[in-house]
Amino acid sequence: FLRIGGSFADIATYNMSNNSTSTTTPLVGEANRLAKACSKNRQLCLTRQRWDEILKFAHDTGARIFFTLAYLQHTRDDESGENDQRDWDSTNAKQLLQYTAQSKYANTVFGFELGNELTHKHKIQNITRLVHAYEELRYIIDETWSATNDKNKHKPKILGPASIGPSQTTKLLKALGSHIDIATYHKYHGGGKDPSIIQHAKGTSIIQHPRNFHELSNAVNKYMDKPEVWIGEGAMAYNSGRQNITDSFVGSFWFTNLLGAISKSRPHTVYCRQALVGGYYELISHETMKARPDYWIAHLWKNLVGTKVIGPILSPSRKDSPDEYTFGCCEGVGYDTLLVHTFCAKEERSNPIFVITNIDKKSPFSLNITVGTHMTKYILTGKGGRRDSRSVVLNGNQHLTIENGQLPELIGEDTDDLVITLPPVSIAFVVVHGFQVDECVSPIVAATDETSKIKYASSLITEEQPQVSSDEYVPFIASESEMHHPVTIHEVQQLALAQLLGAVAFFAFIFFLRKRI
C-alpha cells in the first residue's frame, strides 16, 4: 500500500482539467477557478498529469493507493476564513473521484480517507457534520463507480478517521464506525524535537514500545460491523523524526518490535510507515536516495514473515501469559535487552521463523535451538557494529545497498549447526527447517500427517537475575493476529518458548541462551 496524505492533504486542490498544466489556453468557469488556486501554490495542487503519473507508478510497482481527500478547507467560511463553519463542499473531491474512476489504472486505488487528524488541536468540533460528509462520500463513490459499467473496476474502500491516539479515535469511531470500511489512526512514540527521544534511543527502553493496543482494538470491535484497523501513519517520532536516530540502525530496534507487537493485536492488519521519502523517519533517504536501515527491516519482514503469529513476545526476564489479551505480567521490573517474536514462515509455511532483537551494546548471545534439522539465518548489524550507522550489513559480509535501482538478492546463511550467535546490537530473522508446527499447517495436512502433531509442554526457565527498577517498563502483548504486512536480558542461560495449542495441549521450542563471556 502507498498512502498519499498527511497534514497538507487537507488544504490540497485537485485540477483534473485537460488544461491543468497549460499557461496559454484561455480557461473559463470551474477550470479557471482551479487554475488560479493552483497557481497560488503549485506544491498544494494535484494536477491531472501528476495524478496520471502517480496512478501509473502504483500500477508499475504493484502498489495500491489510499488517498486522503481534503476536508478542512472545504468547510471554511469564505468571509471569516475559519474552518468547520459549513457543510463539506464535495465539488472538488467529486472531480478527482470521477476522473479516477475512468482511468485505466483505477484499480490501483484501494480507498479514500476524508481529512487528516481533524480533531487534533481542535481543528473541528462538529462531529455530526463530519458524519454527513462521510455519508456523502459513500454516495459519490457508489454512484461514480457504478456509472463506469465496468465490473472489472473495484469500488474503493472508505477509510478513516485518520486520527491520533486511542481516545480521539474511539470517540470518532462511535460516530463513524458504521460509515467506514476500515478504521485508521496514527501512532508515534514521541516527537522528533523532544530531547528525551535521544535518551530513549540510547537506553533499552527503545524496545519497550509499543504500549497498550487493546483500547483501540476494543473500540473497533464495538463500533464496526466488520472490524479492521490500520495504523495509517506511524514512525518512532513525529515532526519529521530525529536525525541520527530515526534514520539510523538504532531506530530499527523500535521498528522491529513494533511490527512484532502490532501483529499480535487483532484486528490490526496493516501498518503504514511514515514516510517513503522525506524527513528523518523516511525509508529512502531524500539526500542520497539510498535505503535507510528500516527499509531493510520492512523488506525482510515482507519476504520472510508470514501472517500467523505464534505465542507471546518473549524475554527471559518476563513471564508473559500466552492465554491473556494483555501485556502479560511479570515478577519484578527490569530492562530487557533481548526479545523474541515467533511467526509461521512465509514461504515454508509449516516452519517457524524467529525474529530476535539484541540491543545489548557489549554482549553477544548464543542460542541453541533444540528442534529442527537446519536453519537459515539473516543477521543484521550496523556498519562497523555501530548503533548510529545508516548502513546495514547482512550476516557480517553483505553490505545492503540498492544499485542502479535494483534490489540486492538477500541470501540467508544456511547451517546444520543449530546454534546461532547474535552479535551485540543485532537483529536476526531465523527460519527453522525440519520442524512442522501445527499452527502453521493447513487443517487438512495436519489431520492426515501424524508427524505434525506436537504435544509438548514447556516453561520459561531463567536464572534469577538482578532487577533494575524503571518507570519506563512496558510489558508486551500476548495474543494472536493475522497481520498482513507488508513489527531483556542480563545474565541469561536458558530460555524455553511456550505456546498453547488449542485448549488442551502445548507445543514448545526450547531455547538455551548462554551468555558468551
Side-chain angles (χ1 to χ4, degrees):
F1 293 101
L2 176 65
R3 178 188 183 237
I4 300 176
S7 301
F8 288 124
D10 250 328
I11 54 176
T13 300
Y14 323 124
N15 189 355
M16 297 295 109
S17 166
N18 279 324
N19 304 101
S20 60
T21 60
S22 173
T23 58
T24 59
T25 305
L27 302 176
V28 295
E30 177 67 6
N32 185 50
R33 187 191 69 79
L34 290 172
K36 286 183 177 179
C38 287
S39 67
K40 291 180 181 179
N41 193 332
R42 294 185 180 277
Q43 290 184 330
L44 294 177
C45 178
L46 178 62
T47 65
R48 175 175 176 169
Q49 179 184 7
R50 188 60 168 168
W51 186 230
D52 286 341
E53 291 171 351
I54 292 170
L55 294 177
K56 187 176 186 303
F57 171 80
H59 174 268
D60 292 347
T61 58
R64 300 203 67 191
I65 295 169
F66 70 105
F67 186 94
T68 305
L69 295 167
Y71 175 82
L72 207 59
Q73 73 167 342
H74 298 300
T75 63
R76 185 175 299 158
D77 181 80
D78 293 334
E79 294 183 3
S80 67
E82 294 183 6
N83 297 318
D84 198 26
Q85 299 300 305
R86 60 186 175 90
D87 290 345
W88 178 56
D89 184 347
S90 62
T91 303
N92 197 210
K94 191 172 183 178
Q95 293 166 342
L96 177 67
L97 294 171
Q98 289 175 337
Y99 180 78
T100 303
Q102 297 299 327
S103 171
K104 64 180 179 179
Y105 300 126
N107 283 345
T108 63
V109 179
F110 177 82
F112 292 95
E113 293 178 311
L114 184 55
N116 181 78
E117 300 177 1
L118 293 174
T119 56
H120 181 53
K121 296 183 179 179
H122 308 290
K123 294 177 186 175
I124 69 166
Q125 300 288 337
N126 195 324
I127 304 302
T128 301
R129 179 178 288 129
L130 181 62
V131 171
H132 291 160
Y134 268 94
E135 291 174 341
E136 184 175 0
L137 177 60
R138 173 76 69 186
Y139 174 80
I140 294 171
I141 289 177
D142 287 348
E143 182 183 52
T144 302
W145 262 259
S146 296
T148 64
N149 294 317
D150 188 344
K151 294 181 179 180
N152 294 320
K153 289 187 175 180
H154 307 300
K155 186 169 65 176
K157 302 283 188 182
I158 294 180
L159 302 90
S163 49
I164 294 179
S167 178
Q168 291 185 26
T169 305
T170 298
K171 181 180 178 180
L172 288 168
L173 283 177
K174 186 176 181 180
L176 292 171
S178 61
H179 302 288
I180 58 178
D181 300 308
I182 298 171
T184 59
Y185 72 106
H186 302 168
K187 186 173 182 63
Y188 294 87
H189 181 79
K193 298 178 181 179
D194 186 350
S196 67
I197 201 76
I198 300 174
Q199 296 304 317
H200 168 68
K202 287 181 178 180
T204 54
S205 65
I206 192 171
I207 61 172
Q208 306 297 339
H209 190 76
R211 300 179 186 271
N212 203 326
F213 288 106
H214 78 266
E215 179 182 349
L216 197 284
S217 296
N218 289 343
V220 173
N221 286 319
K222 182 176 181 180
Y223 297 120
M224 296 182 67
D225 293 333
K226 296 180 179 179
E228 182 176 357
V229 59
W230 294 9
I231 296 182
E233 177 184 315
M236 181 177 168
Y238 53 86
N239 291 139
S240 294
R242 184 85 177 204
Q243 192 173 16
N244 299 323
I245 294 178
T246 57
D247 59 351
S248 68
F249 188 58
V250 68
S252 297
F253 291 87
W254 175 88
F255 188 38
T256 303
N257 284 297
L258 172 84
L259 293 177
I262 197 70
S263 299
K264 299 174 185 296
S265 180
R266 283 183 172 177
H268 287 81
T269 56
V270 170
Y271 176 85
C272 188
R273 172 59 185 265
Q274 175 86 327
L276 180 61
V277 180
Y280 292 106
Y281 42 27
E282 61 197 355
L283 295 177
I284 305 294
S285 170
H286 65 278
E287 298 168 328
T288 64
M289 296 307 293
K290 292 183 178 180
R292 297 296 195 196
D294 282 359
Y295 177 90
W296 301 111
I297 297 297
H299 184 63
L300 281 168
W301 197 288
K302 174 75 174 178
N303 287 280
L304 297 177
V305 179
T307 61
K308 183 71 175 180
V309 178
I310 305 174
I313 301 173
L314 286 159
S315 169
S317 66
R318 301 177 185 273
K319 294 185 178 180
D320 290 353
S321 167
D323 304 317
E324 300 177 7
Y325 184 71
T326 177
F327 287 113
C329 57
C330 306
E331 295 182 2
V333 177
Y335 282 77
D336 290 329
T337 59
L338 186 139
L339 293 176
V340 182
H341 307 264
T342 314
F343 299 85
C344 300
K346 186 172 183 178
E347 295 300 329
E348 300 178 50
R349 297 181 180 178
S350 64
N351 295 326
I353 180 171
F354 301 101
V355 182
I356 310 164
T357 56
N358 175 22
I359 203 169
D360 194 297
K361 299 176 185 178
K362 299 180 180 179
S363 302
F365 287 92
S366 293
L367 292 80
N368 182 19
I369 302 176
T370 62
V371 295
T373 57
H374 61 289
M375 65 182 180
T376 305
K377 59 184 181 181
Y378 304 78
I379 301 179
L380 301 178
T381 54
K383 186 177 180 180
R386 295 179 59 89
R387 287 159 42 107
D388 60 355
S389 173
R390 291 196 181 100
S391 299
V392 175
V393 177
L394 175 63
N395 290 329
N397 53 40
Q398 184 182 1
H399 179 220
L400 299 184
T401 186
I402 300 175
E403 298 289 349
N404 300 318
Q406 298 296 314
L407 285 169
E409 183 179 4
L410 302 185
I411 302 175
E413 181 180 330
D414 293 319
T415 176
D416 294 331
D417 184 359
L418 295 180
V419 177
I420 178 173
T421 299
L422 276 77
V425 194
S426 63
I427 299 170
F429 293 76
V430 183
V431 181
V432 178
H433 308 282
F435 180 58
Q436 190 164 284
V437 181
D438 269 3
E439 292 202 346
C440 298
V441 181
S442 68
I444 295 176
V445 175
T448 57
D449 184 1
E450 289 301 318
T451 62
S452 71
K453 300 299 183 182
I454 305 164
K455 297 182 179 179
Y456 301 123
S458 71
S459 60
L460 189 66
I461 305 171
T462 65
E463 288 191 347
E464 185 175 353
Q465 305 300 325
Q467 301 295 325
V468 182
S469 61
S470 170
D471 293 334
E472 296 180 304
Y473 172 71
V474 184
F476 279 74
I477 301 172
S479 100
E480 186 179 271
S481 176
E482 295 176 355
M483 186 74 174
H484 294 315
H485 297 306
V487 332
T488 254
I489 191 169
H490 290 289
E491 303 283 339
V492 181
Q493 290 188 341
Q494 290 187 327
L495 166 66
L497 200 59
Q499 166 65 33
L500 183 65
L501 282 182
V504 294
F506 287 89
F507 81 87
F509 302 116
I510 309 300
F511 282 98
F512 290 99
L513 274 66
R514 60 181 183 273
K515 186 169 182 179
R516 179 171 294 182
I517 306 299

